[in-house]
């Protein structure tokens, strides 16, 4: 069974879908890996290392894709999917990020082209699937980089410093939303010596916040039923969000850096910082909005831009994991390797829909959209 | 005695020469502080806070300077000095950074205009003067920010991470030159979890490197007489530097991030990384060159620019302390306050040249360049 790793199509993308260590593991399991020439270069992995690991280097995309059963890439939606589709042939399987809940049309396009689609966002949040969870990998990187970006733009040093020029107070950092990204942001800001507080509407987050040395902020607003069975924060009513925003303003007014991470799969991100709240923040404060790509947790965020409003700097990073291409490729590639080791059986993809993981990630199969959530979103019976 | 704090003239400067806490201390000592309107705004200190601390807000630069005995600013050289000089009157004292050893012409200009010049770089490196040492303050900030900048541009996460997607190896960070900036860079990279190594030609640096948890790199090249009486690294012979560069290439080839900090007061920075050495570094590696403004420790550095050469990113920051305006202003202002408390006596500047500090920092007085080192540089008898 041939697996194709193509050079990423997304503009400026520096990552690659498999690293040489992944190739070793997969070839030992009997798979053939074709890597498009130079695919790993920007992530620090040159063609020679892929060859040493057992891969075949393909001169171009066409050669990489020829007779491949499975095609691996980071971006399998939008312009990148449109660019890739003409190169794919019926019966091939595409494994990629597809943002399927926000854009189920990608699944329809794949079905129409007879391509079997595997959307990595749909890996279920169960213990057995953790090692395949690309969203967690990306969130780990995003949380770490958010803390660094906050420190870089802060008008204060993060650590307390006792210098000959007096004592510098540590910076105050506040994390809103404590999933994988939020916890990693807490841990990194703490490593740097900041005073770190965090908030999440899920009461279970309290222990997690404490576990990384940060202080949980309580707003004394009752919330019920805040966590989905999948462990995501559940969407709240408009009334609850308004109360939460009001109580939050005082907390925000004290911070030097705020990192927001609240996302709801397939939906626009909730607004956690309104313009009115921002106006009460310290001039010179910094907001890092990790939900920028899904509309932003701050009303003034612009994805991929840095905005200064009322003295507050609002940064909305895009494709953040790609800023750490080496380690991000390692994590993504290891996630994919673990998924492939589950799905490949006797030289073929084993479409065993009794397996929760395989069933959940498959968006299209044999010309049909097969995932029930996507069928519903697409208005299919 | 009136002290004037002007709005900085240097383009993009965000710092201010005194913060409100400094104003309190100086007014309690009987000094009058005039602050130009909005001077502290970009550093997070608005006019009201200066007034509360006892300052008078001046409507513009002219009003701030009128009848002031002492004028405080960050940049007292080059274009900024030329812009300021027409506003100053004979007998006034200007306290600022003047880079006097590299540019003694500033002292001559001040003498010609009858301005008494106090160059903050000339604070002697003695225990009693530590609390006035602006270079140390700026170096503390530069070292911290260099580690952050390195982490931000690194293709690796700094800390080792044990994730569901496998174990990520920590980044390797190498610090060249371990003065105040280098030690702070070591400490910050260590905080972030990197594997940190450091090198300095002064054998005494070994203990300092170990004290912040980094590993000293030995090159097995004999060097003698490496430290000046003032505690700076002494300039070495071309032969020594060539040997050092050769032995360094192997060390550099293993690093993910390199931070260089080698400066010689008044001279062009020594080249520590040649193009040939850089070509042997890992693609994706990052160099942060803190000597960029004095010519750079890497041959390919361009001050204020980011250059990518042979896959290595070379960043040469300019006016780096200004990127942390709040804390940088606090440190600078505290240094100046301590110096003023020494120099002000009974409502006048006490030009007591028996005091080593006052003697060393004074570059011009009563129409003459008075500092012997500067007189020599200017060819004066």
């Amino acid at each position: 069974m041939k697996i194709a790793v193509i050079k990423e199509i997304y503009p400026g993308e520096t990552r690659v879908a498999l690293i040489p260590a992944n190739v070793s593991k997969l070839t030992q399991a009997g798979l053939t890996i074709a890597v498009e020439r130079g695919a790993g270069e920007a992530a620090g992995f040159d063609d020679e290392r892929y060859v040493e690991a057992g891969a075949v280097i393909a001169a171009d995309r066409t050669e990489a894709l020829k007779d491949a059963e499975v095609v691996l890439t980071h971006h399998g939606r939008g312009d990148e999917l449109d660019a890739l589709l003409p190169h794919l042939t019926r019966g091939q399987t595409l494994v990629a990020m597809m943002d399927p809940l926000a854009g189920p049309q990608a699944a329809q396009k794949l079905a129409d082209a007879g391509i079997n689609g595997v959307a990595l966002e749909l890996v279920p949040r169960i213990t057995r699937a953790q090692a395949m969870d690309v969203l967690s990998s990306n969130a780990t990187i995003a949380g770490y980089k958010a803390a660094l970006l906050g420190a870089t733009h802060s008008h204060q040093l993060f650590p307390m410093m006792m210098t000959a020029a007096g004592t510098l107070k540590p910076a105050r950092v506040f994390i809103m939303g404590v999933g994988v990204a939020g916890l990693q942001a807490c841990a990194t800001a703490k490593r740097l010596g900041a005073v770190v507080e965090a908030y999440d509407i899920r009461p279970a987050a309290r222990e997690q916040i404490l576990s990384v040395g940060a202080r949980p902020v309580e707003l004394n607003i009752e919330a019920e039923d805040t966590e989905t069975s999948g462990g995501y924060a559940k969407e709240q009513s408009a009334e609850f969000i308004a109360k939460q925003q009001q109580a939050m303003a005082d907390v925000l007014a004290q911070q030097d850096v705020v990192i927001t991470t609240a996302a709801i799969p397939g939906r626009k991100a909730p607004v956690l910082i309104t313009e009115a709240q921002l106006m009460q923040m310290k001039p010179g404060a910094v907001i890092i909005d990790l939900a920028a790509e899904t509309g932003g947790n701050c009303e003034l965020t612009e994805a991929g831009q840095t905005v200064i409003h009322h003295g507050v700097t609002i940064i909305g990073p895009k494709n953040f994991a790609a800023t750490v291409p080496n380690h991000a490729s390692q994590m993504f590639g290891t996630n994919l390797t673990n998924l492939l080791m589950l799905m490949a059986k006797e030289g073929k993809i084993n479409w065993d829909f009794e397996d929760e993981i395989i069933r959940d990630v498959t968006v299209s199969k044999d010309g049909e959209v097969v995932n029930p959530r996507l069928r519903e979103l697409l208005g299919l019976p």
Side-chain angles (χ1 to χ4, degrees), chain A residues 201 221-226 233-245 264 267 270-272:
Chain A
I201 50 168
I221 301 174
E222 277 192 30
E224 282 175 19
D225 199 15
T226 51
K234 196 167 175 180
E235 195 175 18
Q236 298 293 307
S237 70
E239 189 194 358
F240 176 82
I241 290 171
K243 268 196 204 169
Q244 186 189 39
Q245 286 173 352
I264 302 163
R267 299 283 187 90
V271 170
L272 304 182

Side-chain angles (χ1 to χ4, degrees), chain A residues 206-290:
Chain A
R206 194 187 144 78
E207 289 305 314
Q208 295 164 353
I209 293 167
L210 288 168
S211 75
V212 291
R215 195 179 79 78
V217 165
E218 317 274 357
L219 291 186
N220 301 320
I221 301 174
E222 277 192 30
E224 282 175 19
D225 199 15
T226 51
E227 186 166 323
T228 67
S229 57
Y232 284 100
K234 196 167 175 180
E235 195 175 18
Q236 298 293 307
S237 70
E239 189 194 358
F240 176 82
I241 290 171
K243 268 196 204 169
Q244 186 189 39
Q245 286 173 352
Q246 197 171 350
M248 197 58 83
D250 289 345
V251 178
L252 289 169
Q254 298 171 46
Q255 309 301 329
D256 298 310
V257 173
V258 177
I259 297 169
T260 68
T261 74
I264 302 163
R267 299 283 187 90
K268 191 185 168 307
V271 170
L272 304 182
I273 306 178
T274 62
E275 184 170 2
Q277 288 174 311
L278 182 137
M279 301 286 280
Q280 298 170 55
M281 289 178 68
K282 288 189 208 171
V286 179
I287 297 171
I288 311 294
D289 189 341
L290 288 185

Side-chain angles (χ1 to χ4, degrees), chain A residues 83-339:
Chain A
L84 188 57
L85 266 180
H87 296 268
L88 299 180
T89 49
R90 294 193 89 77
Q92 279 185 323
T93 296
L94 179 68
V95 180
M97 304 292 279
M98 295 177 183
D99 201 5
L101 297 177
Q105 299 76 11
Q108 186 65 64
K109 280 186 191 174
L110 288 167
D112 293 347
I115 311 295
N116 305 322
V118 170
L120 293 165
E121 292 92 340
L122 297 178
V123 166
R125 293 211 144 185
I126 57 175
T127 306
R128 184 167 62 94
Q130 270 183 10
M132 309 164 195
D133 187 356
V134 170
L135 288 181
S136 283
S137 297
N138 286 351
T140 297
I141 294 169
Y144 166 81
K145 285 301 290 267
L148 282 185
L149 200 58
T152 299
H153 288 270
S154 176
H155 291 195
Q156 282 85 12
L157 306 178
F158 270 19
M160 185 175 83
M161 288 209 192
M162 321 263 279
T163 76
T167 297
L168 305 179
K169 279 200 277 187
R172 293 193 60 168
V173 177
F174 182 50
I175 318 291
M176 301 177 82
V178 188
V180 175
L183 273 181
Q184 190 59 52
C186 284
T188 305
K190 195 76 198 163
R191 271 177 185 279
L192 279 170
V195 172
V196 183
E197 294 175 308
Y199 177 77
D200 196 292
I201 50 168
R202 296 170 300 126
R206 194 187 144 78
E207 289 305 314
Q208 295 164 353
I209 293 167
L210 288 168
S211 75
V212 291
R215 195 179 79 78
V217 165
E218 317 274 357
L219 291 186
N220 301 320
I221 301 174
E222 277 192 30
E224 282 175 19
D225 199 15
T226 51
E227 186 166 323
T228 67
S229 57
Y232 284 100
K234 196 167 175 180
E235 195 175 18
Q236 298 293 307
S237 70
E239 189 194 358
F240 176 82
I241 290 171
K243 268 196 204 169
Q244 186 189 39
Q245 286 173 352
Q246 197 171 350
M248 197 58 83
D250 289 345
V251 178
L252 289 169
Q254 298 171 46
Q255 309 301 329
D256 298 310
V257 173
V258 177
I259 297 169
T260 68
T261 74
I264 302 163
R267 299 283 187 90
K268 191 185 168 307
V271 170
L272 304 182
I273 306 178
T274 62
E275 184 170 2
Q277 288 174 311
L278 182 137
M279 301 286 280
Q280 298 170 55
M281 289 178 68
K282 288 189 208 171
V286 179
I287 297 171
I288 311 294
D289 189 341
L290 288 185
E293 282 175 303
T294 55
N297 292 141
C298 172
E299 271 185 354
L300 294 142
T301 300
E302 290 180 31
Q305 305 290 323
T306 297
V307 177
I308 297 178
H309 189 78
H310 201 252
V312 177
T313 301
I314 308 138
I315 303 176
K318 270 175 82 170
N319 204 31
F320 213 18
T323 63
V324 194
N326 187 284
H327 273 163
S329 299
Q330 182 183 335
M331 292 178 92
F332 187 90
T334 304
N335 290 143
L336 255 61
T337 300
N338 292 330
L339 183 63

